[in-house]
Amino acid sequence: MANKTHLSIGLMIMSAMVCLSAPKLYAQNRAVTVNWDKTVSVSKTTPTLQVVYNPMLRKNSPIHKGTFDALKNLGADYVRYVPWFPYPKAAVVELSAPTKEQTFWDFTYADPVMQDLMEATKGHSVVINFSTIPVWMFKTDKPVVVDANPDEVNWVYNQGRELRDPSMKEVAGYFARLLSWYTKGGFTDELGKFHKSGHYYNIPYWEVLNEPDLEHRISPQLYTKIYDAVVTELKKVSPKTKFVGISVAHETNPEWFEYFLNPANHKPGVPLEGISYHFYGRPASDDQTIDSYQYSFFDQANGFLDRVRYIENIRKRLAPHVFTQINEIGNILQDHDYKGVIPDAYWNLSGAMYAYIYLELTKIGIDVAGESQLVGYPTQFPDVSMMNWKNSKPNARYWVLKLLKDNFGPGDKLQTTAIPSQDVTGQAFITAKGKKLLLINRRNKEVQLELPADAKNARVDYVDVTTGENPVAQLQLESSTITLKPFAVAVLTFQ
C-alpha cells in the first residue's frame, strides 16, 4: 500500500488539462468526502463467525491448538457453534432409540469440542445449535447405519421426511435433555435414570435446527410445529435462553418468513425471539477464474441484500421485536469436496465480500453478521475455511473479521460518505474509539483514492493480497492519498 503518489510527466499534463477545464468538478468527483456532522444511522450489527464441528476440531487434530487459540484471540460475541449431521457420533447424542430396558445416551464425542469452544469463548456470548434430530425419530425405509469411526463423514445420515411421533414430544424431549446436560449438570432419561454431566454452562442463545429447507426438506408449517414443541420444553430447562428460528439455507422463499413470523401460527405462549438465514456466493459457472469470481460474488451479494431488505419488511410488519442473525456468510466454489486449486487471492476476495455484506447489513439494521466458517478442509468445504488446515494459521478471511471486530460494532454512528470510485465501497463511522473510515476494494486491481484533508497522518489497518496469513498490517499515512491493493479491506483511524 502506497503513502504517496508520484505522477509521471504525461499524467501530470493530462491532470492539468482536466483541472483547467473543470477544476471544481474534478476535485469533487475524485476525492472521498465525509460529513462528520451528519449521522445517517446507528449500527446495531455485531461481526462474528460460526464454528462447525468436524474432526479438525478434535484434540488429536494437528491444527486443534492453533484453531482454538485463534477463536479465543478473536474475542467475538454471538459465536455460533453447530455440531451437524455428517458426523453423527458428535452431533447426535442418542444414536439409537431407547428400549424398555436400555437407553443409548453418549456424549463421548460431543463433549470435548463443546468444552473447548466454551473455554475459548469465555466471557462472550454463544449461539449453540445441536442441529440434528436423531434419524430414528423419522420414518425411514430401513435403519440408517452409522460408521464406527467417529471421523468418517456421513452425508446420508439425514433421511426421512415424516416424524414417527407427530406429537413432537419425542423430539422436544431429546433436545430438552441435551440442553439440560450442558446447563443443569445432567438429565433424567426416558427410563428414569439420572445422567450426571457436571456442566453448568450459560447458553444465552439456542438455535432450533439448521437449514431445515435442505435437511429433511421440512416445510415451514412442520418446522414451526417442531420449533414450538422444542422451545416450550427448552424454556423449562433454561428460562433465560433466547431462541433463534428458521435458519434456512435459501432465503428466496418468502413463505418461510411470512408463516414463521406470524404469531397466529404459533402456540400461545411460545416466544418469537430471533430468526436466522444464510448466504454463500458462488461462481456463475465451473470454468470461471478469480477474475470472474469478483463480479459473480458481489453481484450475488447485492441480490442477497435486496432479499434481506424484503425479509426485513416482513419481519417489521409481523414481529418487529424479533432480532435477525445472518449467521453463515461465505463463498463456495463448487461443493463440500472442492478439489481445484484455490488461489491465494481468493481468501482476500472472500474476506472483502464478507466485509462488504457486513457493512451493508449495518445500514439495513441486522443484528448479527456471522462469517462462515472457522475450519474447513477437503471433504468439508475447504473454500469456506478461515484457517489454513495445513499449518493452523488463520487466513485472510479470519484477519478481515478481526479487523472489523476490533474497529466496529453496535452503537457506531454511520456518517454521510461519498466514494468517487465504482470499485471501492466505503463508510465513515464515529465509534467509541474515534473517527474511522472503512474502505473495501471489490476488484482484483489497485485503486487509488484521494482522501479528505484530515486523513493526513491517519493510521491505516489493513488486510490485502500482500499480508497473506499474517496479522492485520498497519501504516501511517503521510499524505491524503491512499492506494488500495486488490481486494483490500482497510480501516483508517483519524488522528
Side-chain angles (χ1 to χ4, degrees), residues 167-212:
S167 75
M168 314 289 174
K169 291 181 179 178
E170 197 168 57
V171 170
Y174 168 80
F175 284 112
R177 291 184 175 96
L178 200 165
L179 181 60
S180 184
W181 174 268
Y182 285 118
T183 61
K184 298 295 185 184
F187 66 87
T188 300
D189 70 16
E190 297 92 331
L191 301 182
K193 179 183 177 181
F194 184 75
H195 298 255
K196 183 179 179 180
S197 70
H199 300 312
Y200 295 92
Y201 295 128
N202 173 36
I203 298 179
Y205 299 93
W206 184 280
E207 192 174 25
V208 180
L209 307 189
N210 174 67
E211 299 187 345

Side-chain angles (χ1 to χ4, degrees), residues 276-423:
S276 62
Y277 48 100
H278 308 156
F279 169 74
Y280 290 93
R282 298 172 181 265
S285 64
D286 290 345
D287 60 354
Q288 278 193 331
T289 65
I290 193 166
D291 282 329
S292 297
Y293 295 167
Q294 60 185 315
Y295 301 106
S296 297
F297 290 176
F298 284 100
D299 285 350
Q300 291 167 26
N302 285 329
F304 169 70
L305 290 165
D306 283 341
R307 294 190 293 275
V308 172
R309 295 180 185 97
Y310 183 80
I311 292 166
E312 277 294 280
N313 282 338
I314 297 173
R315 182 192 65 80
K316 290 174 182 177
R317 171 166 47 85
L318 294 174
H321 63 285
V322 167
F323 59 80
T324 299
Q325 299 181 354
I326 299 178
N327 50 21
E328 291 190 31
I329 301 171
N331 300 95
I332 298 174
L333 293 177
Q334 208 166 74
D335 56 25
H336 61 266
D337 195 18
Y338 181 71
K339 298 185 186 306
V341 176
I342 301 177
D344 290 342
Y346 166 84
W347 308 111
N348 294 95
L349 167 56
S350 186
M353 190 203 76
Y354 170 73
Y356 175 74
I357 291 176
Y358 160 76
L359 173 56
E360 296 303 313
L361 294 180
T362 67
K363 299 175 184 178
I364 297 171
I366 300 301
D367 299 272
V368 174
E371 190 172 21
S372 176
Q373 64 187 26
L374 185 58
V375 175
Y377 62 99
T379 74
Q380 274 299 313
F381 298 97
D383 38 4
V384 185
S385 187
M386 299 167 70
M387 299 290 297
N388 184 329
W389 59 89
K390 296 178 181 178
N391 62 18
S392 78
K393 288 184 177 182
N395 64 30
R397 299 184 73 238
Y398 171 93
W399 293 117
V400 166
L401 174 58
K402 183 158 178 55
L403 175 65
L404 296 173
K405 183 265 170 189
D406 287 350
N407 285 279
F408 305 110
D412 293 345
K413 296 178 180 179
L414 284 71
Q415 304 304 114
T416 301
T417 311
I419 307 293
S421 171
Q422 294 183 344
D423 300 319

Side-chain angles (χ1 to χ4, degrees), residues 260-278:
F260 182 85
L261 286 170
N262 188 340
N265 294 325
H266 291 266
K267 291 182 179 179
V270 175
L272 279 177
E273 294 169 315
I275 61 169
S276 62
Y277 48 100
H278 308 156

Side-chain angles (χ1 to χ4, degrees), residues 81-149:
Y81 176 52
V82 187
W84 70 317
F85 76 91
Y87 300 100
K89 282 185 172 289
V92 180
V93 293
E94 192 180 23
L95 280 171
S96 299
T99 67
K100 293 181 179 180
E101 297 81 24
Q102 185 180 7
T103 63
F104 300 92
W105 293 92
D106 186 355
F107 290 81
T108 300
Y109 300 102
D111 263 12
V113 176
M114 179 69 171
Q115 290 171 322
D116 289 338
L117 177 112
M118 296 304 287
E119 180 63 29
T121 58
K122 188 177 292 184
H124 300 277
S125 56
V126 293
V127 184
I128 303 300
N129 184 347
F130 275 81
S131 63
T132 306
I133 297 173
V135 72
W136 54 265
M137 293 186 182
F138 285 88
K139 294 179 180 179
T140 57
D141 294 335
K142 58 183 179 180
V144 177
V145 177
V146 175
D147 197 283
N149 179 1

Side-chain angles (χ1 to χ4, degrees), residues 460-472:
V460 182
D461 297 278
Y462 64 95
V463 177
D464 64 23
V465 292
T466 69
T467 60
E469 294 176 345
N470 297 306
V472 175

